[in-house]
Amino acid sequence: MGAVTDSVKGFGVTFSHLFRKVVTTDYPFEQPKTAPRYHGRHILNRHPDGLEKCIGCELCAWACPADAIYVQGGDNTDEQRFSPGERYASVYQINYARCIFCGLCIEACPTRSLTMSNEYELARDNRRDLIFTKEQLLAPLLPGMEHPPHPMRLGDSEKDYYVGALTNPGTSAGAERAPWSQQHTADGSGSAGELS
Amino acid sequence: MGIEEKLPSGVLLTTVERLVNWSRKSSTWGATFGLACCAIEMMAAGAPHYDLGRWGMEVFRASPRQADLMIVAGRVSQKMAPVLRQIYDQMSEPKWVLSMGVCASSGGMFNNYAIVQGVDHVVPVDMYLPGCPPRPEMLIDAILKLREKILYQPLGAGGRRMLEARAAAGKLPAVAPGAMPSSYRSDKAKRVEWEQAVKEGREEQLRIEKWMEAQRHLQGGGRW
């Protein structure tokens, strides 16, 4: 008797699984939300007027344990200004075939120029395409931004940029000026472009 | 790759090519080549939560004779390299290699004497997948890109000639097969946007823009 019920019991367990909720995610059609601080593809941020935040100090390259970042600094002049202050990154490359997404570069960055997004679909079919250049890493120009080189619009010296940076958002891609940030003010007080 | 190499060119038409490639890309069985932590993510991708069985490849063959796709998951040491090559040689044609994770792709953070600096020194690689380790979605994305590449790969010498002729005439699509992220490819509206962005050369900016739009903390003046 026991032997018969026990053998049927086993099928019962299998059968009951038919009515359980499916746990499989529908990945390419429905992208699951990552953790908010998931370490993904990098972004090189801009100041709200479009100037680059990167000052070409190479601290990210020094911090990188995998030697994935290559930075070459260049001097800003009054005619050719890419970032507030003395220097900018004339060449900036991240080799995603080496990058381990540890985030040490983000911690090292003194101007919060380099941050990470949650993007992760990075597979390519050759190693050359995995080296992201500055053009690919730079944040897009949002409304109110101007393509550098151009003179400093938000103050007389770089100090005006950095002192105001405390009120900048964490992923400060100048996103406070973005069209989508205007529509949904959570408490009404968060007006756009507080910096200027 | 096989019999099609011996056929005269022009016999195999594009539709036949597409049919053969369709049958090849469907249900590519993987050879287990888990070498390190990436293998854990590879197993996770095969498990029910991500379920590679949706593309008919939940089965990882321990025998290379039954495998089409070698997923090199993890760092390849100098000692493992000849083994890797032998497994690859034992796989039957057509076969593909996916190098999973930065260690397999380029040596990653292990730039030292013990690790092969990229598995492409040993075997030809069809898809490089960065990440340390890549999450299962990244692996699925790489596999889908590889499947798309297989679907459009030329068949035999004649197919290659036809492809070259198309490239010379400038009739190739703007987005190369296997270059579009899977979440964009599977969504019609996003796909059109991506194709447009590639023509303007700003597809990476589009990606950042899309991401920023989805971030709650960037809305309302950048405060939570």
Side-chain angles (χ1 to χ4, degrees), chain A residues 23-36 38 41-44 46 65-67 95-101 116-127 130 132 134-142 167-173 175-176 180-182 184-187 189-192 194, chain B residues 48-51 54-55 101-111 117-121 125-138 140-142 144-145 149 177-179 181-184 186-187 190 202-215 217-224:
Chain A
V23 292
T24 309
T25 53
D26 201 12
Y27 158 59
F29 306 103
E30 208 176 295
Q31 217 170 354
K33 259 193 131 44
T34 57
Y38 174 74
R41 175 199 186 288
H42 298 79
I43 302 179
L44 273 178
R46 293 177 189 275
D67 276 347
N95 184 357
Y96 281 106
R98 289 254 177 216
C99 175
I100 58 168
F101 300 94
M116 274 169 156
S117 72
N118 303 338
E119 272 292 329
Y120 50 76
E121 293 170 314
L122 294 166
R124 299 306 284 268
D125 61 356
N126 62 76
R127 274 163 85 157
L130 284 174
F132 277 42
K134 195 178 163 189
E135 288 73 42
Q136 287 165 295
L137 291 166
L138 266 176
L141 288 165
L142 298 171
T167 53
N168 262 354
T171 16
S172 46
E176 65 271 27
W180 58 83
S181 76
Q182 318 262 336
H184 319 276
T185 29
D187 50 0
S189 63
S191 61
E194 200 174 87
Chain B
H49 195 260
Y50 295 100
D51 202 8
R54 288 181 285 163
W55 297 281
V102 288
C103 300
S105 298
S106 75
M109 67 180 296
F110 301 113
N111 193 355
Q117 295 299 302
V119 75
D120 50 1
H121 290 279
V125 175
D126 296 286
M127 190 57 73
Y128 298 88
L129 170 60
C132 186
R135 53 192 286 142
E137 282 102 343
M138 291 170 86
I140 293 171
D141 170 57
L144 291 179
K145 281 173 174 166
K149 247 189 95 178
S182 302
S183 66
Y184 283 84
S186 54
D187 187 315
K190 281 171 93 178
R202 55 180 293 278
E203 70 268 26
E204 292 301 329
Q205 265 68 33
L206 174 79
R207 212 177 340 185
I208 301 174
E209 237 167 66
K210 286 273 168 211
W211 174 75
M212 287 201 297
E213 273 174 43
Q215 297 310 302
H217 69 278
L218 291 184
Q219 296 170 355
R223 272 163 292 271
W224 287 89

Side-chain angles (χ1 to χ4, degrees), chain B residues 2-19:
Chain B
I3 186 171
E4 70 271 11
E5 298 282 358
K6 295 173 184 77
L7 288 167
S9 75
V11 169
L12 291 172
L13 304 171
T14 342
T15 37
V16 179
E17 180 180 276
R18 197 59 54 80
L19 182 72

Side-chain angles (χ1 to χ4, degrees), chain B residues 28-34 38-47 51-53 56-64 66-73 98 100 139-140 143:
Chain B
T28 43
W29 285 3
T32 48
F33 219 92
C38 283
I40 305 294
E41 302 290 313
M42 186 170 75
M43 286 183 256
D51 202 8
L52 279 177
M57 50 184 300
E58 74 279 22
V59 54
F60 287 97
R61 293 281 91 165
S63 140
Q66 275 89 41
D68 314 292
L69 168 67
M70 184 159 74
I71 302 177
V72 186
L98 197 158
M100 179 181 181
L139 178 61
I140 293 171
I143 287 171

Side-chain angles (χ1 to χ4, degrees), chain A residues 128-182:
Chain A
R128 181 176 290 267
D129 282 354
L130 284 174
I131 300 173
F132 277 42
T133 57
K134 195 178 163 189
E135 288 73 42
Q136 287 165 295
L137 291 166
L138 266 176
L141 288 165
L142 298 171
M145 286 185 178
E146 193 183 334
H147 203 287
H150 65 76
M152 288 186 268
R153 305 271 192 237
L154 301 181
D156 303 322
S157 72
E158 68 269 24
K159 269 195 180 155
D160 296 323
Y161 280 83
Y162 299 134
V163 170
L166 283 176
T167 53
N168 262 354
T171 16
S172 46
E176 65 271 27
R177 289 277 183 87
W180 58 83
S181 76
Q182 318 262 336

